[in-house]
Amino acid sequence: MSQPFELIAMPASREPVSLLAVDRAVSEIRRGRMVAIRGAGGKAMAVLAAEGVTRARLAELETLGRSAPVLVITARRAAVLDLAQPTLNPIRLTMDGPLNAETVELLANPYTAPTLGDLRKKVAIRTAEVERFGCENAGIGLAKIARLLPAVVVVPIEDPEADDLAAWAARHDLLLADAGDIFQYEHTAARRLAIVSEAKVPLLDAHETRIVAFRPLDGGLEHLAIVFGAPQPGDTVLTRIHSECFTGDLLGSLRCDCGDQLRGAIREIAAAGSGVLLYLSQEGRGIGLVNKLRAYALQDRGFDTLDANEQLGFDADERVYLPAAQMLRLLGFAKIRLMTNNPAKVNALARCGVEVTERVRHAFPSNEHNEAYLGTKAARFGHLF
């Protein structure tokens, strides 16, 4: 993301339709069902999340597309499999013979890596980079929004009767989404955020607080703001932007420093007299709780937190700060003093139009369970402790 999200144009009248179509498609692929994606130039594909692949689903996909399905994985996943050099776009994998569910599992799921070598001895795998704004890349984007492994099985829709794609999809009981809507989903959802409720909620270390709830107008993911004291619109407010962490925030996990950061921010902002803590629904740096637990399991095998994400096919950090920027705007704050150890967060907010006048150090002592994690954040993410 290199520019404020207001510059991404979409007619306001289309935004609700766009969000609804993607939300429905997400619901379908999470249930192991196929969806149709319409791209530019009349191209269209039927898409199935790799996690939903079964022998029967693959056969159904082939029948629909009238050609052999292929697997698409992220460039990150392809690189760790030593199948392709890192690129900006996903990689299409084609192999001799029909694609089967076992092969999809081997290539998409890092837990199966020990037996991947046997597959590569028997099967020649050909690779090709997909179009940046094509249906295959949109399928990967849809899997990420759904918090699934970022890998999809696709087949072009070349049925002569699919000239009217919407009608064709309806006849085959498939939901249809536009590739452009998927690419713009996070931007559109952020633009559509609105305050839906707020209430005074005294906290253990901060009695003068209120919680403000934000929700996109389509009913999507909700984000929260904890407002301390009575900061005035236009103030340069002390701010912590905190991504939710079920294991650290709620359970007190010692594998990360999230719980310490959350509770420490509450104490520090309360002591300052006023400020804001934004609590974003971006578990696991944006990959979701299930994938974060998968990353933990890979870390137990010896991967660090960055490499574990890439083994799963994700970027090191999948978070976006468009919702945070919109929440601050709706609260009336354009300038903040940001509590963070992550310089990249400062830069990301600046690209969203939020002026960070000061980075406020926000570090806590390590323990025997998170020492290596914090070391990786410093060495490989550039965090400043």
Side-chain angles (χ1 to χ4, degrees):
M1 183 182 61
S2 60
Q3 56 187 358
F5 65 88
E6 287 87 354
L7 299 182
I8 297 177
M10 176 185 289
S13 60
R14 175 166 171 73
E15 287 181 342
V17 177
S18 171
L19 290 172
L20 181 60
V22 177
D23 285 336
R24 286 176 169 174
V26 163
S27 179
E28 287 290 279
I29 69 164
R30 281 182 61 86
R31 288 167 170 77
R33 290 175 55 84
M34 294 175 289
V35 299
I37 295 179
R38 174 169 45 205
K43 294 181 180 179
M45 288 188 172
V47 175
L48 175 67
E51 287 195 55
V53 166
T54 63
R55 183 180 302 178
R57 286 293 187 199
L58 282 176
E60 186 179 354
L61 193 61
E62 184 168 358
T63 299
L64 273 176
R66 302 189 178 187
S67 60
V70 298
L71 177 65
V72 181
I73 60 177
T74 66
R76 295 285 186 185
R77 178 66 181 155
V80 300
L81 293 175
D82 198 25
L83 292 172
Q85 295 298 314
T87 67
L88 290 176
N89 303 316
I91 302 296
R92 181 192 310 120
L93 305 182
T94 308
M95 53 211 72
D96 298 328
L99 188 67
N100 58 51
E102 293 75 18
T103 300
V104 171
E105 177 78 3
L106 285 171
L107 292 168
N109 189 338
Y111 295 110
T112 59
T115 56
L116 180 61
D118 295 335
L119 171 70
R120 295 176 68 176
K121 290 176 184 177
K122 295 183 288 187
V123 178
I125 301 174
R126 298 180 297 281
T127 64
E129 187 175 348
V130 306
E131 295 179 22
R132 182 178 182 186
F133 296 112
C135 297
E136 293 156 305
N137 200 356
I140 292 288
L142 191 64
K144 286 185 175 184
I145 295 168
R147 301 295 190 259
L148 300 173
L149 287 173
V152 291
V153 177
V154 305
V155 66
I157 297 173
E158 297 177 341
D159 188 336
E161 298 181 0
D163 287 343
D164 184 342
L165 187 60
W168 181 91
R171 287 197 302 272
H172 290 87
D173 194 26
L174 296 180
L175 284 178
L176 174 63
D178 283 332
D181 290 340
I182 295 170
F183 292 130
Q184 294 201 61
Y185 178 80
E186 289 174 327
H187 302 76
T188 306
R191 280 198 302 271
R192 300 282 292 180
L193 277 176
I195 295 173
V196 292
S197 67
E198 61 179 282
K200 292 182 179 180
V201 182
L203 306 180
L204 181 63
D205 295 309
H207 292 186
E208 296 299 321
T209 54
R210 57 191 173 95
I211 296 180
V212 183
F214 298 78
R215 182 192 294 153
L217 296 183
D218 70 317
L221 284 178
E222 294 161 352
H223 306 281
L224 303 173
I226 304 172
V227 181
F228 298 75
Q232 298 302 304
D235 287 353
T236 301
V237 290
L238 180 61
T239 303
R240 167 69 182 165
I241 296 177
H242 189 90
S243 298
E244 69 177 345
C245 177
F246 170 78
T247 50
D249 297 344
L250 185 61
L251 302 181
S253 167
L254 299 177
R255 292 192 69 138
C256 63
D257 57 345
C258 301
D260 290 337
Q261 289 185 327
L262 175 64
R263 289 178 283 276
I266 291 173
R267 291 192 299 269
E268 291 181 38
I269 298 176
S274 67
V276 178
L277 189 152
L278 303 185
Y279 196 81
L280 304 183
S281 296
Q282 296 186 352
E283 180 89 39
R285 296 197 198 99
I287 68 176
L289 177 58
V290 171
N291 287 320
K292 184 178 82 170
L293 295 177
R294 288 168 168 158
Y296 278 172
L298 291 170
Q299 289 170 38
D300 291 338
R301 294 185 181 183
F303 295 100
D304 68 24
T305 182
L306 189 154
D307 288 336
N309 269 29
E310 293 187 348
Q311 285 286 326
L312 291 168
F314 293 102
D315 289 335
D317 192 336
E318 294 275 351
R319 288 175 294 186
V320 295
Y321 294 99
L322 299 168
Q326 180 69 348
M327 293 163 73
L328 289 169
R329 289 189 182 93
L330 292 173
L331 291 171
F333 306 122
K335 298 180 180 180
I336 64 173
R337 298 171 55 233
L338 184 65
M339 304 172 67
T340 184
N341 303 314
N342 184 3
K345 190 179 290 188
V346 176
N347 296 332
L349 286 168
R351 290 194 295 270
C352 295
V354 178
E355 181 180 348
V356 180
T357 63
E358 179 187 0
R359 185 188 71 84
V360 180
R361 183 176 179 270
H362 192 57
F364 299 88
S366 63
N367 62 65
E368 62 179 308
H369 301 283
N370 69 13
E371 282 179 339
Y373 168 73
L374 296 180
T376 298
K377 288 172 75 173
R380 303 194 66 187
F381 288 88
H383 286 213
L384 304 173
F385 293 100

